[in-house]
Amino acid sequence: MTNKELESRLIDFSVMIIRLINELPEDRVVNHLTGQLLRSTTSPALNYGEALGAESKKDFVHKLGIVLKELRESYNCLRILSGAGYLQAEQSTLKECNELISIFVKSIETTKRNME
């Protein structure tokens, strides 16, 4: 997968979440969690763009780490919404988020290994 393809995939994930949030009912729980979810799911695409312009391999790894952290936060937020009955457990957003997490775990591992 190229950098552009991965960046597009992150943007598509953000759009998927925005659409999902717009379909959820408004209540205290949803408002709290979706505010956090919106921030944590749009951040990876933005931070990945910064990573592509990193000043060094170390800076690149650091920025990818931020992307990974935000994706993990998103995954847990989606799991909470699912567990509370707001989303179906097999929601495609959970699957996509988990796949993105796996991609970034491997990317960080590979980059670190290549730095040695």
Side-chain angles (χ1 to χ4, degrees):
M1 177 177 301
T2 68
N3 291 338
K4 285 291 182 194
E5 290 170 334
L6 184 53
E7 188 172 42
S8 290
R9 191 165 170 181
L10 288 166
I11 290 168
D12 291 345
F13 178 63
S14 297
V15 170
M16 183 188 313
I17 296 300
I18 290 167
R19 290 183 178 146
L20 172 81
I21 288 170
N22 285 332
E23 293 176 9
L24 292 173
E26 287 196 30
D27 67 25
R28 187 173 169 192
V29 172
V30 171
N31 290 342
H32 172 73
L33 290 172
T34 57
Q36 188 64 34
L37 183 61
L38 182 61
R39 287 185 294 278
S40 67
T41 55
T42 54
S43 174
L46 303 173
N47 280 294
Y48 185 67
E50 283 190 34
L52 294 178
E55 297 174 10
S56 66
K57 290 281 188 184
K58 185 176 178 181
D59 187 37
F60 180 72
V61 169
H62 172 72
K63 286 178 168 70
L64 289 187
I66 293 169
V67 171
L68 180 58
K69 178 183 140 213
E70 295 291 334
L71 287 169
R72 285 181 170 149
E73 183 177 325
S74 300
Y75 186 77
N76 283 334
C77 195
L78 288 167
R79 287 181 56 212
I80 292 168
L81 286 167
S82 179
Y86 291 101
L87 302 176
Q88 295 178 2
E90 67 278 4
Q91 189 76 25
S92 62
T93 53
L94 279 165
K95 182 177 182 275
E96 177 64 4
C97 191
N98 195 42
E99 288 178 11
L100 288 167
I101 288 168
S102 296
I103 289 168
F104 281 95
V105 165
K106 286 294 184 190
S107 293
I108 290 168
E109 288 174 355
T110 301
T111 305
K112 283 182 176 179
R113 191 171 44 252
N114 290 339
M115 288 171 54
E116 297 173 354

